[in-house]
PDB file of all heavy atoms in Angstrom:
ATOM      1  N   GLN A 142      30.345  36.961 -25.439  1.00 90.00           N
ATOM      2  CA  GLN A 142      29.662  36.320 -26.565  1.00 90.00           C
ATOM      3  C   GLN A 142      29.511  34.815 -26.328  1.00 90.00           C
ATOM      4  O   GLN A 142      28.465  34.240 -26.593  1.00 90.00           O
ATOM      5  CB  GLN A 142      30.425  36.570 -27.868  1.00 90.00           C
ATOM      6  CG  GLN A 142      30.321  37.990 -28.383  1.00 90.00           C
ATOM      7  CD  GLN A 142      31.207  38.223 -29.594  1.00 90.00           C
ATOM      8  OE1 GLN A 142      32.367  37.801 -29.624  1.00 90.00           O
ATOM      9  NE2 GLN A 142      30.659  38.899 -30.595  1.00 90.00           N
ATOM     10  N   VAL A 145      26.804  34.272 -23.621  1.00 92.00           N
ATOM     11  CA  VAL A 145      25.452  34.537 -24.139  1.00 92.00           C
ATOM     12  C   VAL A 145      25.000  33.371 -25.018  1.00 92.00           C
ATOM     13  O   VAL A 145      23.882  32.859 -24.864  1.00 92.00           O
ATOM     14  CB  VAL A 145      25.400  35.873 -24.914  1.00 92.00           C
ATOM     15  CG1 VAL A 145      24.108  36.012 -25.690  1.00 92.00           C
ATOM     16  CG2 VAL A 145      25.572  37.052 -23.958  1.00 92.00           C
ATOM     17  N   LEU A 146      25.866  32.936 -25.937  1.00 89.00           N
ATOM     18  CA  LEU A 146      25.501  31.806 -26.810  1.00 89.00           C
ATOM     19  C   LEU A 146      25.284  30.528 -26.007  1.00 89.00           C
ATOM     20  O   LEU A 146      24.372  29.751 -26.292  1.00 89.00           O
ATOM     21  CB  LEU A 146      26.577  31.575 -27.873  1.00 89.00           C
ATOM     22  CG  LEU A 146      26.650  32.584 -29.010  1.00 89.00           C
ATOM     23  CD1 LEU A 146      27.772  32.209 -29.975  1.00 89.00           C
ATOM     24  CD2 LEU A 146      25.331  32.696 -29.752  1.00 89.00           C
ATOM     25  N   ILE A 148      24.283  30.186 -22.873  1.00 91.00           N
ATOM     26  CA  ILE A 148      22.993  30.228 -22.176  1.00 91.00           C
ATOM     27  C   ILE A 148      21.856  30.095 -23.184  1.00 91.00           C
ATOM     28  O   ILE A 148      20.919  29.328 -22.980  1.00 91.00           O
ATOM     29  CB  ILE A 148      22.845  31.521 -21.347  1.00 91.00           C
ATOM     30  CG1 ILE A 148      23.868  31.558 -20.214  1.00 91.00           C
ATOM     31  CG2 ILE A 148      21.427  31.628 -20.776  1.00 91.00           C
ATOM     32  CD1 ILE A 148      23.914  32.871 -19.463  1.00 91.00           C
ATOM     33  N   LYS A 149      21.942  30.826 -24.294  1.00 88.00           N
ATOM     34  CA  LYS A 149      20.866  30.816 -25.291  1.00 88.00           C
ATOM     35  C   LYS A 149      20.592  29.408 -25.813  1.00 88.00           C
ATOM     36  O   LYS A 149      19.449  28.977 -25.884  1.00 88.00           O
ATOM     37  CB  LYS A 149      21.224  31.749 -26.458  1.00 88.00           C
ATOM     38  CG  LYS A 149      20.152  31.842 -27.518  1.00 88.00           C
ATOM     39  CD  LYS A 149      18.906  32.481 -26.971  1.00 88.00           C
ATOM     40  CE  LYS A 149      17.826  32.606 -28.018  1.00 88.00           C
ATOM     41  NZ  LYS A 149      16.594  33.162 -27.445  1.00 88.00           N
ATOM     42  N   PHE A 150      21.634  28.685 -26.165  1.00 84.00           N
ATOM     43  CA  PHE A 150      21.428  27.394 -26.810  1.00 84.00           C
ATOM     44  C   PHE A 150      21.351  26.218 -25.843  1.00 84.00           C
ATOM     45  O   PHE A 150      21.062  25.099 -26.257  1.00 84.00           O
ATOM     46  CB  PHE A 150      22.499  27.158 -27.875  1.00 84.00           C
ATOM     47  CG  PHE A 150      22.394  28.154 -28.996  1.00 84.00           C
ATOM     48  CD1 PHE A 150      23.377  29.098 -29.208  1.00 84.00           C
ATOM     49  CD2 PHE A 150      21.274  28.173 -29.815  1.00 84.00           C
ATOM     50  CE1 PHE A 150      23.274  30.034 -30.225  1.00 84.00           C
ATOM     51  CE2 PHE A 150      21.148  29.109 -30.835  1.00 84.00           C
ATOM     52  CZ  PHE A 150      22.153  30.044 -31.041  1.00 84.00           C
ATOM     53  N   LEU A 154      15.982  29.700 -22.410  1.00 88.00           N
ATOM     54  CA  LEU A 154      15.517  30.954 -21.827  1.00 88.00           C
ATOM     55  C   LEU A 154      15.384  32.015 -22.918  1.00 88.00           C
ATOM     56  O   LEU A 154      16.057  31.963 -23.941  1.00 88.00           O
ATOM     57  CB  LEU A 154      16.493  31.452 -20.763  1.00 88.00           C
ATOM     58  CG  LEU A 154      16.599  30.614 -19.492  1.00 88.00           C
ATOM     59  CD1 LEU A 154      17.722  31.140 -18.606  1.00 88.00           C
ATOM     60  CD2 LEU A 154      15.283  30.623 -18.727  1.00 88.00           C
ATOM     61  N   SER A 155      14.517  32.981 -22.656  1.00 91.00           N
ATOM     62  CA  SER A 155      14.337  34.087 -23.594  1.00 91.00           C
ATOM     63  C   SER A 155      15.519  35.050 -23.488  1.00 91.00           C
ATOM     64  O   SER A 155      16.268  35.031 -22.509  1.00 91.00           O
ATOM     65  CB  SER A 155      13.043  34.834 -23.264  1.00 91.00           C
ATOM     66  OG  SER A 155      13.181  35.519 -22.022  1.00 91.00           O
ATOM     67  N   ASN A 156      15.654  35.903 -24.486  1.00 94.00           N
ATOM     68  CA  ASN A 156      16.712  36.923 -24.447  1.00 94.00           C
ATOM     69  C   ASN A 156      16.523  37.841 -23.242  1.00 94.00           C
ATOM     70  O   ASN A 156      17.502  38.286 -22.645  1.00 94.00           O
ATOM     71  CB  ASN A 156      16.722  37.737 -25.736  1.00 94.00           C
ATOM     72  CG  ASN A 156      17.206  36.930 -26.924  1.00 94.00           C
ATOM     73  OD1 ASN A 156      17.585  35.771 -26.786  1.00 94.00           O
ATOM     74  ND2 ASN A 156      17.199  37.530 -28.094  1.00 94.00           N
ATOM     75  N   ILE A 159      17.935  36.012 -20.276  1.00 93.00           N
ATOM     76  CA  ILE A 159      19.398  35.987 -20.359  1.00 93.00           C
ATOM     77  C   ILE A 159      19.953  37.353 -19.953  1.00 93.00           C
ATOM     78  O   ILE A 159      20.936  37.439 -19.214  1.00 93.00           O
ATOM     79  CB  ILE A 159      19.878  35.592 -21.775  1.00 93.00           C
ATOM     80  CG1 ILE A 159      19.449  34.153 -22.086  1.00 93.00           C
ATOM     81  CG2 ILE A 159      21.392  35.740 -21.914  1.00 93.00           C
ATOM     82  CD1 ILE A 159      19.601  33.753 -23.535  1.00 93.00           C
ATOM     83  N   GLU A 167      17.993  43.611 -22.941  1.00 95.00           N
ATOM     84  CA  GLU A 167      17.607  42.647 -23.972  1.00 95.00           C
ATOM     85  C   GLU A 167      18.168  42.967 -25.365  1.00 95.00           C
ATOM     86  O   GLU A 167      18.657  42.061 -26.045  1.00 95.00           O
ATOM     87  CB  GLU A 167      16.085  42.518 -24.017  1.00 95.00           C
ATOM     88  CG  GLU A 167      15.598  41.422 -24.921  1.00 95.00           C
ATOM     89  CD  GLU A 167      14.093  41.243 -24.857  1.00 95.00           C
ATOM     90  OE1 GLU A 167      13.415  41.882 -24.027  1.00 95.00           O
ATOM     91  OE2 GLU A 167      13.588  40.442 -25.661  1.00 95.00           O
ATOM     92  N   PRO A 168      18.125  44.224 -25.826  1.00 95.00           N
ATOM     93  CA  PRO A 168      18.693  44.507 -27.156  1.00 95.00           C
ATOM     94  C   PRO A 168      20.190  44.176 -27.249  1.00 95.00           C
ATOM     95  O   PRO A 168      20.665  43.751 -28.302  1.00 95.00           O
ATOM     96  CB  PRO A 168      18.458  46.012 -27.338  1.00 95.00           C
ATOM     97  CG  PRO A 168      17.304  46.333 -26.451  1.00 95.00           C
ATOM     98  CD  PRO A 168      17.431  45.395 -25.280  1.00 95.00           C
ATOM     99  N   ILE A 169      20.910  44.350 -26.171  1.00 95.00           N
ATOM    100  CA  ILE A 169      22.341  44.005 -26.185  1.00 95.00           C
ATOM    101  C   ILE A 169      22.515  42.498 -26.345  1.00 95.00           C
ATOM    102  O   ILE A 169      23.375  42.034 -27.107  1.00 95.00           O
ATOM    103  CB  ILE A 169      23.054  44.526 -24.914  1.00 95.00           C
ATOM    104  CG1 ILE A 169      23.146  46.054 -24.975  1.00 95.00           C
ATOM    105  CG2 ILE A 169      24.433  43.899 -24.757  1.00 95.00           C
ATOM    106  CD1 ILE A 169      23.714  46.695 -23.736  1.00 95.00           C
ATOM    107  N   ILE A 170      21.694  41.718 -25.651  1.00 95.00           N
ATOM    108  CA  ILE A 170      21.752  40.256 -25.781  1.00 95.00           C
ATOM    109  C   ILE A 170      21.440  39.849 -27.216  1.00 95.00           C
ATOM    110  O   ILE A 170      22.148  39.031 -27.817  1.00 95.00           O
ATOM    111  CB  ILE A 170      20.775  39.572 -24.788  1.00 95.00           C
ATOM    112  CG1 ILE A 170      21.186  39.844 -23.347  1.00 95.00           C
ATOM    113  CG2 ILE A 170      20.661  38.076 -25.075  1.00 95.00           C
ATOM    114  CD1 ILE A 170      22.569  39.341 -22.960  1.00 95.00           C
ATOM    115  N   THR A 171      20.385  40.430 -27.781  1.00 94.00           N
ATOM    116  CA  THR A 171      20.003  40.138 -29.162  1.00 94.00           C
ATOM    117  C   THR A 171      21.159  40.466 -30.102  1.00 94.00           C
ATOM    118  O   THR A 171      21.476  39.696 -31.016  1.00 94.00           O
ATOM    119  CB  THR A 171      18.740  40.931 -29.550  1.00 94.00           C
ATOM    120  OG1 THR A 171      17.697  40.602 -28.630  1.00 94.00           O
ATOM    121  CG2 THR A 171      18.292  40.620 -30.968  1.00 94.00           C
ATOM    122  N   ASN A 172      21.813  41.597 -29.862  1.00 95.00           N
ATOM    123  CA  ASN A 172      22.951  41.999 -30.677  1.00 95.00           C
ATOM    124  C   ASN A 172      24.124  41.033 -30.518  1.00 95.00           C
ATOM    125  O   ASN A 172      24.759  40.650 -31.514  1.00 95.00           O
ATOM    126  CB  ASN A 172      23.379  43.428 -30.327  1.00 95.00           C
ATOM    127  CG  ASN A 172      24.438  43.940 -31.274  1.00 95.00           C
ATOM    128  OD1 ASN A 172      24.276  43.875 -32.488  1.00 95.00           O
ATOM    129  ND2 ASN A 172      25.528  44.425 -30.713  1.00 95.00           N
ATOM    130  N   TYR A 173      24.425  40.636 -29.281  1.00 94.00           N
ATOM    131  CA  TYR A 173      25.506  39.668 -29.054  1.00 94.00           C
ATOM    132  C   TYR A 173      25.251  38.379 -29.835  1.00 94.00           C
ATOM    133  O   TYR A 173      26.160  37.835 -30.467  1.00 94.00           O
ATOM    134  CB  TYR A 173      25.649  39.320 -27.570  1.00 94.00           C
ATOM    135  CG  TYR A 173      26.587  40.201 -26.789  1.00 94.00           C
ATOM    136  CD1 TYR A 173      26.143  40.876 -25.663  1.00 94.00           C
ATOM    137  CD2 TYR A 173      27.922  40.348 -27.155  1.00 94.00           C
ATOM    138  CE1 TYR A 173      26.999  41.685 -24.919  1.00 94.00           C
ATOM    139  CE2 TYR A 173      28.782  41.148 -26.428  1.00 94.00           C
ATOM    140  CZ  TYR A 173      28.323  41.814 -25.320  1.00 94.00           C
ATOM    141  OH  TYR A 173      29.172  42.604 -24.594  1.00 94.00           O
ATOM    142  N   ILE A 174      24.029  37.887 -29.784  1.00 92.00           N
ATOM    143  CA  ILE A 174      23.688  36.641 -30.481  1.00 92.00           C
ATOM    144  C   ILE A 174      23.860  36.815 -31.984  1.00 92.00           C
ATOM    145  O   ILE A 174      24.517  36.019 -32.656  1.00 92.00           O
ATOM    146  CB  ILE A 174      22.260  36.174 -30.126  1.00 92.00           C
ATOM    147  CG1 ILE A 174      22.198  35.766 -28.653  1.00 92.00           C
ATOM    148  CG2 ILE A 174      21.815  35.032 -31.047  1.00 92.00           C
ATOM    149  CD1 ILE A 174      20.793  35.563 -28.120  1.00 92.00           C
ATOM    150  N   SER A 175      23.290  37.879 -32.508  1.00 92.00           N
ATOM    151  CA  SER A 175      23.350  38.145 -33.946  1.00 92.00           C
ATOM    152  C   SER A 175      24.794  38.320 -34.423  1.00 92.00           C
ATOM    153  O   SER A 175      25.218  37.696 -35.403  1.00 92.00           O
ATOM    154  CB  SER A 175      22.531  39.397 -34.258  1.00 92.00           C
ATOM    155  OG  SER A 175      22.670  39.759 -35.600  1.00 92.00           O
ATOM    156  N   GLU A 176      25.550  39.150 -33.725  1.00 94.00           N
ATOM    157  CA  GLU A 176      26.943  39.404 -34.122  1.00 94.00           C
ATOM    158  C   GLU A 176      27.810  38.150 -33.973  1.00 94.00           C
ATOM    159  O   GLU A 176      28.694  37.906 -34.799  1.00 94.00           O
ATOM    160  CB  GLU A 176      27.529  40.566 -33.312  1.00 94.00           C
ATOM    161  CG  GLU A 176      26.899  41.916 -33.643  1.00 94.00           C
ATOM    162  CD  GLU A 176      27.012  42.299 -35.106  1.00 94.00           C
ATOM    163  OE1 GLU A 176      28.121  42.140 -35.682  1.00 94.00           O
ATOM    164  OE2 GLU A 176      26.001  42.726 -35.691  1.00 94.00           O
ATOM    165  N   SER A 177      27.563  37.377 -32.935  1.00 91.00           N
ATOM    166  CA  SER A 177      28.334  36.142 -32.732  1.00 91.00           C
ATOM    167  C   SER A 177      28.078  35.153 -33.861  1.00 91.00           C
ATOM    168  O   SER A 177      29.014  34.537 -34.380  1.00 91.00           O
ATOM    169  CB  SER A 177      27.970  35.497 -31.395  1.00 91.00           C
ATOM    170  OG  SER A 177      28.269  36.353 -30.328  1.00 91.00           O
ATOM    171  N   ILE A 178      26.832  35.002 -34.236  1.00 88.00           N
ATOM    172  CA  ILE A 178      26.482  34.068 -35.310  1.00 88.00           C
ATOM    173  C   ILE A 178      27.069  34.548 -36.639  1.00 88.00           C
ATOM    174  O   ILE A 178      27.620  33.752 -37.405  1.00 88.00           O
ATOM    175  CB  ILE A 178      24.956  33.859 -35.383  1.00 88.00           C
ATOM    176  CG1 ILE A 178      24.515  33.078 -34.135  1.00 88.00           C
ATOM    177  CG2 ILE A 178      24.550  33.137 -36.662  1.00 88.00           C
ATOM    178  CD1 ILE A 178      23.021  32.955 -33.954  1.00 88.00           C
ATOM    179  N   LYS A 179      26.979  35.859 -36.901  1.00 92.00           N
ATOM    180  CA  LYS A 179      27.582  36.416 -38.127  1.00 92.00           C
ATOM    181  C   LYS A 179      29.083  36.153 -38.148  1.00 92.00           C
ATOM    182  O   LYS A 179      29.642  35.767 -39.176  1.00 92.00           O
ATOM    183  CB  LYS A 179      27.328  37.923 -38.215  1.00 92.00           C
ATOM    184  CG  LYS A 179      25.947  38.301 -38.633  1.00 92.00           C
ATOM    185  CD  LYS A 179      25.816  39.819 -38.686  1.00 92.00           C
ATOM    186  CE  LYS A 179      24.362  40.240 -38.796  1.00 92.00           C
ATOM    187  NZ  LYS A 179      24.227  41.707 -38.682  1.00 92.00           N
ATOM    188  N   LYS A 180      29.730  36.379 -37.024  1.00 91.00           N
ATOM    189  CA  LYS A 180      31.181  36.182 -36.943  1.00 91.00           C
ATOM    190  C   LYS A 180      31.533  34.714 -37.166  1.00 91.00           C
ATOM    191  O   LYS A 180      32.471  34.407 -37.907  1.00 91.00           O
ATOM    192  CB  LYS A 180      31.704  36.654 -35.582  1.00 91.00           C
ATOM    193  CG  LYS A 180      33.213  36.646 -35.478  1.00 91.00           C
ATOM    194  CD  LYS A 180      33.686  37.304 -34.196  1.00 91.00           C
ATOM    195  CE  LYS A 180      35.187  37.410 -34.149  1.00 91.00           C
ATOM    196  NZ  LYS A 180      35.644  38.123 -32.946  1.00 91.00           N
ATOM    197  N   LEU A 181      30.773  33.816 -36.543  1.00 87.00           N
ATOM    198  CA  LEU A 181      31.036  32.381 -36.724  1.00 87.00           C
ATOM    199  C   LEU A 181      30.813  31.960 -38.177  1.00 87.00           C
ATOM    200  O   LEU A 181      31.602  31.179 -38.731  1.00 87.00           O
ATOM    201  CB  LEU A 181      30.172  31.550 -35.777  1.00 87.00           C
ATOM    202  CG  LEU A 181      30.568  31.599 -34.312  1.00 87.00           C
ATOM    203  CD1 LEU A 181      29.527  30.887 -33.456  1.00 87.00           C
ATOM    204  CD2 LEU A 181      31.950  30.985 -34.105  1.00 87.00           C
TER     205      LEU A 181
END
Side-chain angles (χ1 to χ4, degrees):
Q142 288 174 316
V145 168
L146 286 180
I148 295 172
K149 182 65 179 177
F150 295 113
L154 292 173
S155 69
N156 290 357
I159 295 168
E167 187 175 354
I169 290 175
I170 296 299
T171 303
N172 187 51
Y173 270 123
I174 293 168
S175 174
E176 292 302 315
S177 299
I178 291 172
K179 283 180 193 173
K180 187 172 185 176
L181 288 172

